[in-house]
Amino acid sequence: MVRGLPPATALRGRAAAAVRWCTCRRVAVAVCLGNLVAALLVARALYAPGTFTSSPRRGEVKCSKEQMRWVEESIRIRRAAEPVELIEAVKKLRKAFEREAKRRKELPLELKQKVSHEILQRLRDLGENRNTTQQREAIESWRVEMLKSIRSSSTHNLSNFSLTSEESRILKRALEFNWRMLLEDIGLWIPPTVYHIEHDDKLENELEEEEIIPGPPLPPECNAELHTDYGGTAVRWGLTHHKESAADCCQACIDQAKRAKPGALRCNIWVYCPSEYGCYSPDKYEHKHQECWLKQADHPKLNFKDRYSEPYRDSHPTAPVVVPWMSGVISP
């Protein structure tokens, strides 16, 4: 009881103070205690042993014994199917390439220039009108001579190259083991020699297949010869004289000889182009399909027969292998 105040007033003051204390501090303390208890219960539920043992954790999948057996079997089959020999071969090749890369040292630029100058000088001395085989042989002989010089002067520098011992060792290895790479580095490439060999695959005593001549059959007096070109003085130029067939060309020669005036040239040779792609001739003209040349010669001579020779084709690169013309000498 407070002195100086009536008893009822003192009670009301204490009640008001109690109410203020309950509404501020005690409410806050009660809420904090409640949160702490709830946090402890949640932590116990999460981390207590035996909790959630019936369900797998995140990221884990429970498998049966049969499924585990399938997984192990698939792993075994995959390992058995691995190309072990191929993998080992690749590893060996990789090691070999690594060893080769370590052994191979890049030639200095100045040394490359000296090598290229020496090789070019050897090719100039060889001459311009040489084939690739002779050029390759000349370069190979230079390589052999250079190796002999390096081996014979192992303790002294080469007089022409003025090489140090280290440069001599690098060049010797390049000439012995990396010759092709050295040629590529200096930009030298010689095309390989191509040998053309014609094989006769026909059996012995095998009959040759007869070629079909378009048009009507030729009479016997035409004496037609395939892949043949006879020479003679032109009675009628074939550039402006075309016939549908070889028989028509032969008949044109016979008719011209009958109608020729006394003292004029009389046709006794006909030359026809049966190829749809035209026929080759060494002159400057383009000879087309169905050209019919009428010629005269007292003693007919062959220009070409069956095939053009290799020396002729070497000097005439556009010449085909087989003579495309057909011709004949009229019987008297």
Side-chain angles (χ1 to χ4, degrees):
M1 187 166 146
V2 182
R3 293 182 180 180
L5 292 176
T9 304
L11 290 174
R12 285 196 298 271
R14 291 177 180 176
V19 170
R20 285 195 302 272
W21 189 86
C22 288
T23 56
C24 294
R25 295 181 181 179
R26 288 190 176 183
V27 170
V29 171
V31 171
C32 291
L33 290 174
N35 291 338
L36 181 60
V37 172
L40 292 174
L41 292 175
V42 172
R44 182 176 181 275
L46 290 175
Y47 298 106
T51 306
F52 303 117
T53 55
S54 60
S55 60
R57 296 181 181 178
R58 179 179 294 181
E60 294 183 356
V61 179
K62 293 192 69 175
C63 300
S64 62
K65 293 182 178 180
E66 185 69 16
Q67 289 174 337
M68 290 298 298
R69 189 178 63 81
W70 290 347
V71 171
E72 293 175 356
E73 183 69 15
S74 65
I75 294 173
R76 186 187 63 79
I77 293 173
R78 187 174 68 252
R79 290 177 177 174
E82 288 182 354
V84 180
E85 296 181 358
L86 179 61
I87 294 174
E88 292 297 326
V90 171
K91 289 180 179 178
K92 291 180 180 179
L93 285 175
R94 187 178 290 113
K95 291 180 180 178
F97 290 149
E98 291 176 355
R99 288 195 301 268
E100 183 64 25
K102 291 179 180 179
R103 285 202 306 261
R104 181 188 179 190
K105 291 186 178 180
E106 188 73 17
L107 289 179
L109 179 59
E110 184 179 356
L111 185 56
K112 286 183 181 179
Q113 292 175 348
K114 292 179 180 179
V115 171
S116 61
H117 176 73
E118 287 288 326
I119 293 177
L120 289 176
Q121 187 60 42
R122 179 62 64 92
L123 293 176
R124 291 192 191 100
D125 296 340
L126 186 64
E128 296 181 356
N129 299 324
R130 299 293 181 176
N131 56 32
T132 56
T133 302
Q134 293 172 327
Q135 292 176 354
R136 191 178 293 105
E137 290 175 353
I139 295 175
E140 180 64 22
S141 64
W142 176 88
R143 184 181 75 90
V144 174
E145 292 174 5
M146 183 58 61
L147 280 173
K148 289 181 180 178
S149 300
I150 293 176
R151 290 165 183 164
S152 62
S153 58
S154 57
T155 57
H156 303 283
N157 295 334
L158 293 175
S159 59
N160 293 338
F161 274 55
S162 300
L163 300 177
T164 63
S165 58
E166 179 65 18
E167 289 176 342
S168 299
R169 188 181 63 81
I170 296 174
L171 181 58
K172 179 175 176 293
R173 181 174 293 276
L175 293 176
E176 287 180 339
F177 304 106
N178 300 316
W179 174 235
R180 294 183 180 275
M181 296 180 182
L182 177 58
L183 293 180
E184 292 178 1
D185 290 342
I186 64 177
L188 179 63
W189 179 79
I190 298 177
T193 304
V194 178
Y195 297 95
H196 178 68
I197 301 176
E198 296 181 1
H199 298 277
D200 188 4
D201 297 332
K202 292 188 297 184
L203 298 176
E204 189 176 357
N205 299 327
E206 182 182 1
L207 296 177
E208 293 186 0
E209 184 179 355
E210 295 185 359
E211 295 188 30
I212 299 175
I213 303 174
L218 285 90
E221 60 268 21
C222 291
N223 298 313
E225 298 181 46
L226 292 172
H227 309 298
T228 306
D229 180 14
Y230 275 99
T233 303
V235 177
R236 183 71 184 272
W237 276 49
L239 295 175
T240 57
H241 185 235
H242 289 198
K243 292 297 180 180
E244 292 293 329
S245 65
D248 294 336
C249 182
C250 174
Q251 188 62 43
C253 181
I254 296 174
D255 294 342
Q256 192 277 336
K258 291 179 180 180
R259 294 193 301 265
K261 296 180 180 181
L265 294 175
R266 296 176 181 272
C267 177
N268 66 338
I269 299 172
W270 60 274
V271 181
Y272 183 72
C273 178
S275 175
E276 297 180 357
Y277 305 100
C279 294
Y280 167 80
S281 183
D283 55 35
K284 63 179 181 179
Y285 302 105
E286 181 182 357
H287 298 276
K288 299 182 179 179
H289 181 216
Q290 296 181 344
E291 280 191 13
C292 177
W293 289 77
L294 307 183
K295 301 180 180 181
Q296 193 279 333
D298 295 335
H299 304 283
K301 293 182 179 180
L302 284 170
N303 287 334
F304 302 100
K305 178 70 174 176
D306 293 333
R307 295 170 179 263
Y308 296 103
S309 63
E310 290 189 7
Y312 181 84
R313 283 190 282 125
D314 290 340
S315 58
H316 299 78
T318 58
V321 177
V322 179
V323 177
W325 299 92
M326 66 178 298
S327 59
V329 180
I330 303 297
S331 299

